[in-house]
Amino acid sequence: MADDSIYINRPTAKAYDVPYEPPPPGANPVLRGLPLSIAATIISKTPFLQRFLWSNAGFGKVHDIPELEHIEPRYDPTVIKTSRSNITGTVRSNDEFLASLSAEDWSSKRPFKSVYFSSLDYHEAYKSGRLTPTQVVETLLPLIRRDVEGAEHSVAFLSVKADLVKKAAEESTERYRAGKWRSPIDGIPMAVKDEEDLTAHPKSLGSRLSYTHPSDATSHAVRLWLSAGALCLGKTTMHELGLDTTNCNPVHGTPRNPHNPHYYCGGSSGGSAYAVASGIVPLAMGNDGGGSVRIPAAFCGVYGLKTSQGRVGIGPTANLARSNGVAGPIGGCMVDVELGYRVMAQPDPNDSMSAMWTPPAPTPMSADGNKKVLGIFRPWFDRADPEVHSLCTTALEHLTKTLDYEFIEITLPHLPHGQLAHALTILSEIATGVPRSTLPSLTAPNKILLSLGHTTPGVSFLQAQRLREVIMRHLSALWEEHPGMILITPTTPNAGWRINEADLGYGCSDGDKSIRNMEYAWLANFSGCPSISVPVGTVEAEGGAVPVGLMGMGEWGDEEGLIGWGYEMERYINEVKEGGRAKPGNFVDAVWAETVG
């Protein structure tokens, strides 16, 4: 059958031959502790200092790019992959979709030798009667409730409504007893980041402010998980306003990496990644505006999918990072990522973008039968730290030697400038949703960051959107020449981010390290492409292991290709890599209703 896929808003394919220049050494000051608090207050009230720091960060460099002449600004990177039949056909109901999902044969996708339980492990245990959803939540709730003394994992959860969880678990238990479960994720414990709306739960975006929807709504993507029978344990902690990559949160507490308590979980979806990595849930929802799903997934040794811009509806939730941020699943196994994604990416008829997408299709376990192409821009890839570079390279060698992957050497234009343009854009977008009058209520680092966002001139913002168009044109040309290619980098160039204990009280402003942490992740957000992070091993450090992630970025709408690649990488770490996949010492075994450590 011929492929009738069409793209809406795809940029003109045009390659740009621009020599690569690595970013210059960082010049942003590092501030922490009481000096940070004092400096933030002064900076937030002093326009001259704001302009100086804005310029010192290098944002003005987006003006000095000759390729931007005669380029129209691109304000939204959404490129919709749909089909003529989807546009003219009949939309199936959610009940029909869930029935088809349950009818699929998932047996081949259950991970072999995994140290993590998948959603399918729960599902099979429920069907057999060996375990019930009620038993699971009775095991988990005492571990995550902030009102329970000694709840080991409570710092990762901002809001838990035990009575609602128990009621939903009882209903799921009854469905299994009657043989009428809704889907493979019926009764599966999950959690959602505080960036989403959830009825009966407050929303603060990890801050002291209230962002709770006035109608006490639930985000569309969350509603879809709930309609499939998933049990939402509650809302997870995040980096305040999602504005950094550590998940350090002086307001609500900072969860420590389950693999190594001396390291951060990564952010800004750090609470969701913690909940998955520690075994509390096999599936959690995060949001990704500059790596905020993939970076914590990499730091915590789990899987994270950043979806295509505009594909997953989150209405009526307001998206502060409108042209960069998306919702996506974080899973302990690839099957959790696929299940979470396919449910949450059902089109939202009330969202003009989401409504046009073709519903996700079943993902093949591999790319067998199709040309397997990996694109690598060597000068960029090689900027990773040696231990990260080694783990990622070893994993890629497995693909070429045993799975017949082909490497394509590619080029990418204006990467350092592009990262600055992304940072300038997302800071400006978030600043529009955070009035200056509320800055005194924020933590010190965000007083500084949002002061810079409010300082951005309109001309600079427009130049950044012109650069977005240039980069997207170049990517369009790459995929026109190499359809199905996955662009490969490490998820982060560094292995984790070590906690400085002084940061936990006030936060930390370390712009250069944040930029370094996001060096690979920003491109998918700025261009609207899907991207996935998969674990490929660990680096030994003081206090234990630190996980490392490998990242793939696909063409607009090719989440299925990335998930298929993720399954192959999962087999690599579970069955091929010496030592296999790491398991945290505080791992919770909810499938067998006991905690091991």
Side-chain angles (χ1 to χ4, degrees):
M1 182 177 177
D3 183 7
D4 70 342
S5 296
I6 58 174
Y7 289 92
I8 300 172
N9 295 331
R10 186 180 179 116
T12 301
K14 177 176 172 56
Y16 290 86
D17 185 14
V18 180
Y20 176 71
E21 294 184 10
N28 294 295
V30 179
L31 296 171
R32 55 172 42 97
L34 187 59
L36 168 62
S37 180
I38 295 171
T41 300
I42 295 172
I43 291 168
S44 66
K45 297 179 180 180
T46 311
F48 167 75
L49 289 176
Q50 294 165 18
R51 291 192 295 271
F52 170 78
L53 290 174
W54 189 93
S55 177
N56 189 67
F59 289 137
K61 294 177 182 177
V62 298
H63 290 260
D64 305 324
I65 302 173
E67 286 79 13
L68 302 189
E69 189 174 355
H70 307 304
I71 296 292
E72 288 293 319
R74 174 129 186 177
Y75 303 105
D76 189 331
T78 302
V79 178
I80 297 169
K81 184 179 182 181
T82 187
S83 64
R84 293 175 179 85
S85 58
N86 183 60
I87 293 173
T88 60
T90 302
V91 178
R92 63 179 174 175
S93 69
N94 191 52
D95 287 343
E96 291 173 323
F97 161 69
L98 293 178
S100 67
L101 196 70
S102 293
E104 288 184 33
D105 180 10
W106 292 92
S107 57
S108 64
K109 295 183 176 181
R110 293 182 69 178
F112 180 64
K113 292 184 179 180
S114 176
V115 298
Y116 280 81
F117 296 111
S118 74
S119 296
L120 297 183
D121 292 315
Y122 285 87
H123 186 53
E124 293 301 321
Y126 294 159
K127 288 194 298 181
S128 71
R130 180 178 63 79
L131 187 64
T132 69
T134 295
Q135 289 175 308
V136 168
V137 300
E138 292 290 353
T139 298
L140 297 178
L141 285 173
L143 303 177
I144 65 174
R145 293 175 57 175
R146 292 196 173 207
D147 60 345
V148 174
E149 186 176 353
E152 180 182 359
H153 303 280
S154 62
V155 71
F157 284 81
L158 263 181
S159 175
V160 175
K161 304 292 184 182
D163 54 339
L164 297 180
V165 177
K166 291 177 181 179
K167 183 176 183 295
E170 290 168 1
E171 293 170 352
S172 178
T173 296
E174 288 303 315
R175 288 195 293 271
Y176 275 99
R177 284 175 180 161
K180 296 181 179 180
W181 53 84
R182 293 178 181 172
S183 77
I185 63 170
D186 197 338
I188 309 305
M190 60 87 169
V192 300
K193 184 182 181 183
D194 189 38
E195 196 162 337
E196 300 297 335
D197 283 304
L198 180 63
T199 299
H201 292 260
K203 183 172 78 172
S204 66
L205 297 178
S207 72
R208 295 183 180 90
L209 304 172
S210 175
Y211 288 90
T212 307
H213 197 276
S215 67
D216 193 27
T218 294
S219 301
H220 175 74
V222 181
R223 287 200 307 271
L224 289 172
W225 278 9
L226 296 175
S227 73
L231 306 179
C232 185
L233 298 184
K235 303 187 78 176
T236 55
T237 56
M238 59 181 285
H239 203 106
E240 185 185 61
L241 302 182
L243 278 173
D244 209 341
T245 60
T246 61
N247 213 64
C248 177
N249 192 312
V251 178
H252 298 289
T254 302
R256 295 172 180 265
N257 195 308
H259 291 273
N260 189 324
H262 298 292
Y263 280 74
Y264 287 114
C265 290
S268 60
S269 307
S272 288
Y274 176 100
V276 173
S278 62
I280 297 290
V281 297
L283 174 65
M285 191 176 296
N287 296 78
D288 193 316
S292 288
V293 161
R294 293 159 291 156
I295 291 172
F299 281 8
C300 290
V302 294
Y303 298 86
L305 176 67
K306 181 263 174 198
T307 54
S308 296
Q309 189 73 29
R311 183 159 205 174
V312 174
I314 61 171
T317 297
N319 189 347
L320 290 183
R322 177 62 186 87
S323 75
N324 290 280
V326 298
I330 298 174
C333 302
M334 275 306 305
V335 70
D336 304 312
V337 171
E338 181 181 355
L339 282 165
Y341 161 70
R342 287 178 57 193
V343 173
M344 72 191 297
Q346 293 301 301
D348 180 359
N350 298 313
D351 184 310
S352 59
M353 294 295 186
S354 172
M356 288 191 285
W357 285 88
T358 302
T363 302
M365 284 290 287
S366 69
D368 291 339
N370 298 313
K371 186 179 181 182
K372 301 177 180 181
V373 178
L374 302 177
I376 295 185
F377 186 27
R378 292 288 179 184
W380 197 33
F381 187 102
D382 290 345
R383 281 182 48 77
D385 291 348
E387 62 270 25
V388 173
H389 191 283
S390 175
L391 284 169
C392 292
T393 300
T394 300
L396 294 174
E397 287 173 350
H398 164 73
L399 296 180
T400 57
K401 291 178 180 178
T402 65
L403 297 176
D404 197 30
Y405 273 86
E406 175 186 0
F407 282 113
I408 299 293
E409 298 284 345
I410 64 170
T411 62
L412 294 166
H414 298 302
L415 291 176
H417 290 103
Q419 186 172 6
L420 288 171
H422 165 263
L424 180 156
T425 300
I426 197 168
L427 280 177
S428 300
E429 289 180 336
I430 294 178
T432 63
V434 184
R436 281 186 180 272
S437 61
T438 64
L439 292 188
S441 298
L442 299 179
T443 56
N446 283 345
K447 288 179 184 177
I448 297 174
L449 286 174
L450 289 177
S451 293
L452 301 189
H454 283 289
T455 300
T456 300
V459 171
S460 298
F461 185 86
L462 290 173
Q463 287 293 90
Q465 309 323 302
R466 288 188 172 96
L467 182 53
R468 190 202 299 258
E469 172 68 11
V470 166
I471 290 171
M472 290 181 67
R473 287 184 181 187
H474 187 88
L475 290 171
S476 186
L478 286 175
W479 279 306
E480 187 174 274
E481 185 178 359
H482 307 291
M485 178 190 70
I486 297 175
L487 197 160
I488 297 293
T489 64
T491 308
T492 62
N494 46 285
W497 186 322
R498 187 173 176 82
I499 295 173
N500 185 315
E501 299 295 330
D503 298 344
L504 300 180
Y506 293 94
C508 175
S509 178
D510 189 344
D512 293 341
K513 197 164 186 176
S514 296
I515 290 169
R516 171 75 170 158
N517 219 28
M518 297 166 61
E519 181 162 351
Y520 300 123
W522 68 270
L523 180 60
N525 299 95
F526 203 47
S527 62
C529 296
S531 179
I532 192 169
S533 176
V534 301
V536 289
T538 59
V539 171
E540 287 302 316
E542 181 184 349
V546 178
V548 169
L550 177 67
M551 187 167 68
M553 188 180 96
E555 188 172 7
W556 300 282
D558 191 26
E559 280 88 346
E560 287 82 3
L562 291 176
I563 293 171
W565 175 74
Y567 276 120
E568 294 186 325
M569 295 309 304
E570 183 175 41
R571 287 197 295 270
Y572 162 75
I573 197 165
N574 285 341
E575 304 171 29
V576 177
K577 179 173 171 46
E578 184 178 355
R581 191 171 168 200
K583 182 176 183 178
N586 67 348
F587 186 80
V588 175
D589 182 352
V591 173
W592 293 96
E594 62 181 353
T595 303
V596 295

